[in-house]
Amino acid sequence: MGNRMTALTLTKFLTQIAADQPAVAASVRALAGVAVELSATIARPDSTAQLGAVRGSANADGDDQKKLDVLADEMIATALAAVDHVAAYLSEERDAAIQLHDGGDVIVASDPLDGSSNIDTNVSIGTIFSILPASGGSLQPGRNQLASGIFVYGPQTTLLVTCGDGVFAFQLGTDGQFHDMGWQVRMPAETSEFAINASNSRHWAAPVSRYIADCLAGSAGPRQRNFNMRWVGSLVADGWRIFRRGGIFLYPADARDGYHNGRLRLVYEASPMAFLVTQAGGRASDGQQDILDIVPDALHQRVPLVFGSANEVDEFVKYGS
Ligand code: F6P
């Protein structure tokens, strides 16, 4: 499953996409420009400690806003404002939509900087985006997405993107261009690796506890095989690993105050990830229904999120919720 860089660059890929979806191509191009700048900013010596500093105010979700959260959000807002096709920008960092261009064709939703608790720890962080038709308004089911993707700023700066016809993987080269990694992004249907923040186990609902207990029981338990566990704590990084080698990611609802619908946001995190996962042959569920079928009733709505290898997500759903 090694990488083979091909001659296809993101620029060429987007030129092809632009023939049918000019607004999508222009939006992804603008976001990629921001990602190149963010990647350089993050890699600068001495930058991370400052960029990880709490800026004081909490964002719309009540999380501490770090300096890099705010910077990334402002860079995206500026880049999208220069794209006439973009009607509005929805940001996890802002209470309300920013209206951009009357008559624009698309709405872009983004978590500008995912995994902000990892900013100053030299662990992968990223940018998540979702592109929706402007005609559907701000609160549309993920099924309507025209494109979605994740940029990951890690040992490599990479992009996984779908425009509704499979998932493409690009890596930023030293020439400042994203190059196709020459890897067909298809998630294995089977896995023996799970990702969950186990420190919350005492707050889980019974089906989640049962599912994880059965994984932990390994070959001696009902699953009759051993499971491995990985938890990076940046959704983009845990997601990237799962695209690469399969796995199941779980951020379920739990009994803590404020976590009755899990932690992750439907519009900015779960929906774009679900579109990518589905396009790579995997599944994404809230435990009961497909994430892509959920119609948001608020911009910052949270949702339990389970995604990854199709057969394992189906197995989890069988435990009930
Ligand atoms: O929503 C931000 C985020 O950092 C995700 O990237 C990650 O999956 C999750 O929160 C980690 O949450 P916790 O710190 O509760 O494990």
Side-chain angles (χ1 to χ4, degrees):
M1 201 194 341
N3 291 345
R4 184 178 49 83
M5 288 286 183
T6 73
L8 183 68
T9 59
L10 181 63
T11 308
K12 283 191 200 154
F13 171 78
L14 293 177
T15 305
Q16 290 162 18
I17 296 293
D20 294 328
Q21 299 174 284
V24 166
S27 305
V28 175
R29 195 175 296 122
L31 292 163
V34 172
V36 171
E37 266 189 71
L38 276 175
S39 171
T41 304
I42 291 162
R44 241 186 5 239
D46 295 336
S47 67
T48 47
Q50 300 156 28
L51 293 170
V54 175
R55 190 175 161 268
S57 63
N59 67 13
D61 296 300
D63 297 336
D64 278 342
Q65 258 183 334
K66 307 283 175 61
K67 209 169 151 194
L68 190 58
D69 287 316
V70 177
L71 181 69
D73 173 56
E74 284 169 357
M75 285 165 70
I76 292 175
T78 304
L80 294 179
V83 182
D84 291 345
H85 296 282
V86 182
Y89 168 45
L90 315 177
S91 168
E92 194 206 314
E93 298 302 329
R94 301 181 187 239
D95 291 337
I98 307 188
Q99 302 303 329
L100 292 174
H101 300 285
D102 285 346
D105 309 300
V106 294
I107 292 174
V108 178
S110 177
D111 177 356
L113 208 286
D114 175 68
S116 27
S117 64
N118 281 328
I119 291 172
D120 49 7
T121 63
N122 197 19
V123 167
S124 297
I125 50 182
T127 298
I128 307 176
F129 65 90
S130 161
I131 303 180
L132 292 149
S135 54
S138 295
L139 300 175
Q140 303 183 50
R143 192 76 66 196
N144 289 6
Q145 286 171 103
L146 302 169
S148 77
I150 56 176
F151 292 96
V152 180
Y153 316 112
Q156 307 154 341
T157 293
T158 55
L159 164 66
L160 294 180
V161 61
T162 181
C163 299
D165 186 19
V167 177
F168 292 80
F170 293 91
Q171 181 177 344
L172 184 61
T174 47
D175 57 358
Q177 293 254 8
F178 281 95
H179 296 267
D180 182 14
M181 295 176 79
W183 155 45
Q184 204 201 351
V185 187
R186 292 299 294 175
M187 198 178 281
E190 297 286 347
T191 186
S192 298
E193 194 162 79
F194 67 87
I196 192 166
N197 184 340
S199 69
N200 300 320
S201 60
R202 68 191 183 283
H203 306 294
W204 292 340
V208 178
S209 300
R210 262 200 318 274
Y211 169 77
I212 295 296
D214 287 354
C215 292
L216 294 176
S219 56
R223 302 300 308 277
Q224 298 186 328
R225 64 184 198 270
N226 295 328
F227 279 74
N228 185 31
M229 197 202 86
R230 285 286 180 273
W231 181 255
V232 178
S234 294
L235 174 63
V236 287
D238 282 307
W240 217 100
R241 181 189 63 249
I242 291 171
F243 281 101
R244 190 64 168 169
R245 66 182 193 206
I248 183 170
F249 172 101
L250 307 99
Y251 210 121
D254 66 49
R256 286 173 295 163
D257 281 350
Y259 286 80
H260 294 286
N261 288 312
R263 172 184 171 106
L264 302 171
R265 293 78 174 168
L266 177 57
V267 171
Y268 309 109
E269 296 170 307
S271 266
M273 194 57 98
F275 192 31
L276 276 177
V277 165
T278 307
Q279 285 290 320
R283 290 232 213 303
S285 170
D286 69 352
Q288 284 173 330
Q289 57 179 330
D290 195 310
I291 292 288
L292 294 176
D293 290 328
I294 304 174
V295 183
D297 50 33
L299 275 181
H300 292 274
Q301 174 178 341
R302 294 176 194 259
V303 71
L305 176 61
V306 179
F307 71 84
S309 295
N311 295 350
E312 196 56 30
V313 174
D314 289 348
E315 183 66 29
F316 172 78
V317 169
K318 283 191 213 146
Y319 280 72
S321 54

